[in-house]
Amino acid sequence: MTILGTALGLVFYLLQVVSGESGYAENGDFDDAELDDYSFSCYSQLEVNGSQHLLTCAFDDPDVNSTNLEFEICGALLDVNCLSFNKLQEMYFIKTKKFLLIGDSEICVKLERKSMTCRKMNIVKIVKPEAPFDVRVIYREAANDFVVTFNTSHLRKKYVKELMHEVAYRQEKNENNWVHVNLSSTKLMLLQRNLQPDAMYEIKVRSIPDTNYFEGFWSEWSPSFHFRTPETSITGQMDPVALTISILSFFSVALVVILACVLWKKRIKPMVWPSLPDHKKTLEQLCKKPKKNLNVSFNPESFLDCQIHKVDGIQARDEAEGFLQDPLPSQPEDSEKQRLGEGMQGPNWPSEHPVFTPKTFIGESPFRCLAGNISVCDAPVLPSSRSPDCREGGKNGPLVHQDLLLGPGTTNSTLPSPFPFQSGILTLNPAAQGQPALTSLGSSQEEAYVTMSSFYQNQ
Amino acid sequence: MFHVSFRYIFGIPPLILVLLPVASSDCDIGGKDGRVYQNVLMISIDDLDSMIDFDSNCLNNESNFFKKHSCGDNKEASFLYRAARKLKQFPKMNNSEDFNFHLSRVSQGTLQLLNCTSKVKGRKPPSLGEAQPTKNLEENKSVKEQKKLNDLCFLKILLQKIKTCWNKILRGVKEH
């Protein structure tokens, strides 16, 4: 029994091997090699004729002998289990309203009622939309663009309403240089600047389902539309208002440039880059203002050392009178000037001749001017009022200087002060000729003394 | 004591087993994302509603079906199942081809989405109504017309209930 069973098993095994020799599918089913030639593909079109749907299938291999072959669809149908296809040349189709549109169907190739090959498909996942039509291109001169419009029958359908469209255009000279644009509406704008002027263009459109339920393939291309882009001309396209404005602005800019060049030196440059005023002239102008008959000059011959101090008017006058009553030696004017000149020599002068600074005399000593024709300088006095007196005093007689001015050789000598105050009021001693008879009135402080004349000479 | 224990052992557990299915849902709903309903079923329901042209008096006609079955909580699927089976009876009426196809799509599509237990499936589908005996042809004709009107009125209300129930299901899915 055991041997018999083993023999039978071997026989059956050999039979299986022989029968499955020609083909063995990966899924374990035994398929004939000839079935591979019956591979097919299908697509559906919903509401193609009113509420009727169309399902079309065809063999992938066009050389298949489809004489006795039939197609059948089963499942996901309304009120029926299966439907048979109609044959038209090499295409198999079925036009019906009985698609459930929910769930999978099974499409089989039958040879004499025997299923040769079957494929499970979902009708809503193999939708191929109808091709768009009525493609038109309109040029808008005002906007400088082209408006592309087209129509599709799916706008009036109930199931496959939302589509994604693809517009393709090219210049007719450039073959296979298509530009693709995707859009969901049926209107597209093409800018004129993106197209070549005076050129012939070709444009076409196709669609694909764009919903989360219906899926499928691209439709056929729409019939092409040809259009020519206009020539671009500068004068023709220029707006007259813009042209006028541009001309006016050009001329105004030119006028501004010319005026700037002409008025540069006289008006513009002094305002933009003002020149620094001369200090001498400025001072002359300042001095001119208070008194008209005031003659101000920076001639060193007319310089006089005049110091201005804050003084008590009454006391200054009394003291001035008392001072003027004392005999004072007179100095010849020339020697005095020589001494003054010697006293104010060069840059080394401050070191050789210790001087009093005007600061020490502020509020202490009145201003004194002594001359042959004595004219007492009233205190407090303005610089303008003092200077002529000082000048007169310089010309006529000995001078009284509040600042101590020592000539050469008299550095260490102390000069007696006729006045009771400590401030140094210098008096010229006419007896000591050749030597500056300047008396120091008490202050041993050496202070820098700078006069206008020395300042001028230093320059 | 021995009789009491027998009662508790052999009485209460079977009672519990019988009562449990009453509290639970009999069907599971597929397509809760709403894509099938919004792209297919709702279109057919709207077309059917537009084909049924009735005045407002139709709304006052309350059938026993709606008194027995409603789209309550955790009972949406069973209501849709019963409503879909009820719709299957209408194609037998003398209606247009498109009308019948839409009816079939709604009923068949709903049933395909629902996965109900055998208990629910095994129940006898409710009938539209029994024909009353008539005296003569004219009376028979008028009765038939009246019956057709009543059925269409019932269908209109049923379709509205189905639409409301689907909206309730989808609303519940969005909230979760």
Side-chain angles (χ1 to χ4, degrees), chain B residues 114-134:
Chain B
L114 298 173
N115 184 17
C116 297
T117 58
S118 59
K119 186 179 281 187
V120 177
K121 287 182 180 178
R123 291 174 190 164
K124 185 182 178 182
S127 60
L128 281 172
E130 294 180 357
Q132 294 178 357
T134 55

Side-chain angles (χ1 to χ4, degrees), chain A residues 51 53 76-80 96-104 124-125 158-159 161 211-215, chain B residues 35-41 43-44 47 51 91 97-98 100-102 104-110 112-113:
Chain A
S51 57
H53 313 303
L77 297 174
L78 296 173
D79 300 332
V80 293
T96 180
K97 299 178 184 178
K98 294 184 180 180
F99 290 140
L100 179 60
L101 303 179
I102 299 172
D104 294 335
V124 300
K125 303 298 181 186
K158 290 179 287 186
Y159 293 107
K161 288 182 289 188
T211 63
N212 55 359
Y213 187 70
F214 294 101
E215 298 173 6
Chain B
R35 290 189 300 171
V36 176
Y37 169 72
Q38 289 172 353
N39 288 282
V40 180
L41 297 178
I43 295 170
S44 293
D47 284 352
M51 289 179 189
E97 190 181 43
D98 290 342
N100 291 332
F101 283 137
H102 283 304
S104 298
R105 186 171 287 113
V106 174
S107 62
Q108 201 166 333
T110 305
Q112 189 158 342
L113 292 175

Side-chain angles (χ1 to χ4, degrees), chain A residues 63 168 221 246 311 403 411:
Chain A
D63 298 331
W221 285 106
S246 62
V311 299
D403 296 330
T411 305

Side-chain angles (χ1 to χ4, degrees), chain A residues 101-115:
Chain A
L101 303 179
I102 299 172
D104 294 335
S105 303
E106 194 172 32
I107 301 174
C108 297
V109 177
K110 288 198 167 185
L111 178 62
E112 295 177 357
R113 296 188 180 182
K114 182 183 176 183
S115 295

Side-chain angles (χ1 to χ4, degrees), chain B residues 32-171:
Chain B
K32 280 187 177 181
D33 55 359
R35 290 189 300 171
V36 176
Y37 169 72
Q38 289 172 353
N39 288 282
V40 180
L41 297 178
M42 192 174 75
I43 295 170
S44 293
I45 291 171
D46 291 339
D47 284 352
L48 286 168
D49 191 61
S50 63
M51 289 179 189
I52 300 171
D53 189 14
F54 271 117
D55 55 5
S56 60
N57 292 331
C58 183
L59 297 175
N60 296 327
N61 184 4
E62 292 187 1
S63 172
N64 292 329
F65 177 84
F66 299 117
K67 292 178 183 176
K68 291 180 184 177
H69 310 288
S70 62
C71 187
D73 293 340
N74 296 322
K75 294 182 180 179
E76 297 90 348
S78 59
F79 171 79
L80 287 175
Y81 179 80
R82 292 185 178 88
R85 291 188 69 180
K86 189 77 173 177
L87 288 174
K88 270 191 170 181
Q89 301 177 9
F90 285 92
K92 297 176 184 178
M93 301 166 63
N94 189 12
N95 293 318
S96 64
E97 190 181 43
D98 290 342
F99 186 88
N100 291 332
F101 283 137
H102 283 304
L103 267 179
S104 298
R105 186 171 287 113
V106 174
S107 62
Q108 201 166 333
T110 305
L111 291 172
Q112 189 158 342
L113 292 175
L114 298 173
N115 184 17
C116 297
T117 58
S118 59
K119 186 179 281 187
V120 177
K121 287 182 180 178
R123 291 174 190 164
K124 185 182 178 182
S127 60
L128 281 172
E130 294 180 357
Q132 294 178 357
T134 55
K135 295 181 179 179
N136 48 31
L137 281 174
E138 288 182 359
E139 288 180 355
N140 196 11
K141 188 178 179 181
S142 64
V143 167
K144 278 187 179 179
E145 285 178 358
Q146 185 62 38
K147 184 178 180 299
K148 184 178 178 180
L149 289 173
N150 291 336
D151 290 341
L152 289 175
C153 187
F154 170 77
L155 177 62
K156 190 177 180 79
I157 298 170
L158 181 62
L159 291 170
Q160 289 176 1
K161 297 276 186 187
I162 291 172
K163 200 173 181 179
T164 305
C165 200
W166 267 110
N167 291 332
K168 183 184 174 187
I169 293 169
L170 296 176
R171 219 172 22 249

